Amino acid sequence: MIKAEAEKTLKEMLETDSLGILDSMSDEQITALNMAYQALKTPECMTCGWCQRFADETAEGDGWCEQHDRRAMCNDPACGYYE
């Protein structure tokens, strides 16, 4: 399966649910599907700069990771905590 097909399939599942599977899924599973869809649709958004735990960003892109209590850059790859 190519990326575009995976994107299309996830979008259809989340928006129209023609297969009726969302009713059998937990909120956590639906959230995971949404995150997977967003990661496929806009992979550039999966960086520290888009995380809710990234704080005090300067004009140069330096900031603070509240999750790991360390300095980070807005374009650093997202960690396992990513929000």
Side-chain angles (χ1 to χ4, degrees), residues 5-31:
E5 290 171 347
E7 247 183 84
K8 182 181 175 185
T9 300
L10 286 173
K11 182 178 180 180
E12 188 278 329
M13 286 173 61
L14 292 165
E15 291 181 355
T16 62
D17 193 23
S18 63
L19 300 174
I21 63 169
L22 290 181
D23 290 336
S24 66
M25 296 176 74
S26 68
D27 290 343
E28 290 83 13
Q29 290 170 325
I30 294 170
T31 299

Side-chain angles (χ1 to χ4, degrees), residues 2 10 13 18 26 34 36 41-42 46 56 61-62 64 82:
I2 63 171
L10 286 173
M13 286 173 61
S18 63
S26 68
N34 273 309
K41 184 178 171 188
T42 52
M46 298 299 286
D56 302 324
D62 290 323
W64 191 256
Y82 183 82

Side-chain angles (χ1 to χ4, degrees), residues 11-83:
K11 182 178 180 180
E12 188 278 329
M13 286 173 61
L14 292 165
E15 291 181 355
T16 62
D17 193 23
S18 63
L19 300 174
I21 63 169
L22 290 181
D23 290 336
S24 66
M25 296 176 74
S26 68
D27 290 343
E28 290 83 13
Q29 290 170 325
I30 294 170
T31 299
L33 277 179
N34 273 309
M35 183 177 261
Y37 172 66
Q38 290 303 321
L40 280 172
K41 184 178 171 188
T42 52
E44 67 276 4
C45 293
M46 298 299 286
T47 60
C48 286
W50 290 84
C51 182
Q52 295 174 7
R53 303 291 300 207
F54 184 69
D56 302 324
E57 183 179 359
T58 67
E60 292 81 30
D62 290 323
W64 191 256
C65 174
E66 294 175 340
Q67 177 64 25
H68 298 289
D69 198 28
R70 66 170 175 82
R71 198 173 136 205
M73 292 292 294
C74 67
N75 61 352
D76 286 347
C79 69
Y81 181 80
Y82 183 82
E83 283 188 3

